[in-house]
Amino acid sequence: MVEKLSDTEREAGLRGLKGWIYDEAAGAIDRVFKFKDFSEAFAFMSRVALAAEKAGHHPDWSNSYNSVSIRLSTHDAGGLSARDIALARAIDKILI
Amino acid sequence: MVEKLSDTEREAGLRGLKGWIYDEAAGAIDRVFKFKDFSEAFAFMSRVALAAEKAGHHPDWSNSYNSVSIRLSTHDAGGLSARDIALARAIDKILI
C-alpha cells in the first residue's frame, strides 16, 4: 500500500519538478507538453508508456495532435504519493 | 478542404461502424475500448497512431490504464467528415 504524501512531503516533491501543477481538489499533478506534430508527440508518449510500465504506475493522459496532457495521481492512496513524484521526474527526464 | 458529411451521408457512414456514438453537439464520434491491462491498451494505441499518421488525420484520445477513449472529428470541416468514418473503420479493423 502506497501512502498519500503529507503537505510537507508534497511541497518538497513538487519543488524538484518543473511545470507540474498541483490540483488540490483532484489530489493530482498535471502537466501539458507541446511538440512539433503528432509524430513527435506520440514518440514522447511511447517513452512515457515504457517509463510507466517499468514503474508499475500509470498516468491518466490525453493527446490531441501535438499536445499531450498528463495527470498523475495514486488512486489507492487517495491522492498524491511518492510514485507520482517519481514518475513525473522520469517523464521530465525524457525531455532533457 | 474536407467537407462535413450531410445527415444522410453521416447516417450511412455510422451504419458501417460498430460501437461508435455520434455526439451531435460536438460534431464527433466517440468509442471507448477496454483491454486487459495498460500494456495491451498501449499496444492498441500504437497501432491507432500508425493508422492516424498514415491517414494524415488524428484522434483526440485519452487513456487510463486499460481504457482508451477515442473521439474523431474534422475541425476544418466543423464536424464529421469522410475522414472520420475512414479512420474509425481503420481503428475497428485493428481489433479484428
Side-chain angles (χ1 to χ4, degrees):
Chain A
M1 184 73 187
V2 190
E3 284 196 23
K4 188 176 163 177
L5 296 177
S6 70
D7 290 356
T8 317
E9 288 168 332
R10 188 189 64 240
E11 281 158 24
L14 286 172
R15 232 175 282 129
L17 299 176
K18 225 184 90 183
W20 291 84
I21 309 290
Y22 177 56
D23 180 336
E24 191 172 354
I29 50 173
D30 299 307
R31 189 173 168 191
V32 179
F33 300 85
K34 298 279 185 182
F35 299 92
K36 196 183 65 183
D37 53 23
F38 177 77
S39 173
E40 209 179 76
F42 197 77
F44 167 71
M45 290 176 74
S46 299
R47 296 194 63 190
V48 171
L50 295 179
E53 192 68 0
K54 190 174 171 183
H57 189 57
H58 303 88
D60 292 331
W61 55 344
S62 63
N63 159 247
S64 182
Y65 194 58
N66 69 329
S67 177
V68 179
S69 300
I70 303 185
R71 159 160 287 198
L72 301 176
S73 182
T74 304
H75 304 290
D76 291 350
L80 219 61
S81 79
R83 286 189 169 191
D84 300 306
I85 303 294
L87 185 54
R89 211 172 279 150
I91 291 171
D92 286 350
K93 268 181 74 180
I94 291 171
L95 295 171
I96 291 168
Chain B
M1 184 74 188
V2 190
E3 284 196 23
K4 186 176 163 177
L5 295 177
S6 70
D7 290 357
T8 317
E9 288 168 334
R10 187 188 65 240
E11 281 157 23
L14 286 172
R15 232 174 283 130
L17 299 176
K18 223 185 90 183
W20 291 85
I21 309 290
Y22 177 56
D23 179 335
E24 192 173 355
I29 48 173
D30 300 306
R31 189 172 168 191
V32 178
F33 300 85
K34 299 279 185 182
F35 299 92
K36 196 183 66 182
D37 54 22
F38 177 78
S39 174
E40 209 178 77
F42 197 77
F44 168 70
M45 290 175 74
S46 300
R47 296 194 63 188
V48 171
L50 296 180
E53 192 68 359
K54 190 174 173 184
H57 189 58
H58 304 88
D60 292 331
W61 53 346
S62 63
N63 159 247
S64 182
Y65 194 58
N66 69 329
S67 176
V68 179
S69 300
I70 302 185
R71 159 160 288 198
L72 301 176
S73 183
T74 304
H75 304 291
D76 291 351
L80 218 61
S81 80
R83 286 188 170 191
D84 300 306
I85 303 295
L87 185 53
R89 210 171 281 149
I91 291 170
D92 286 350
K93 268 180 74 180
I94 292 171
L95 295 170
I96 292 168

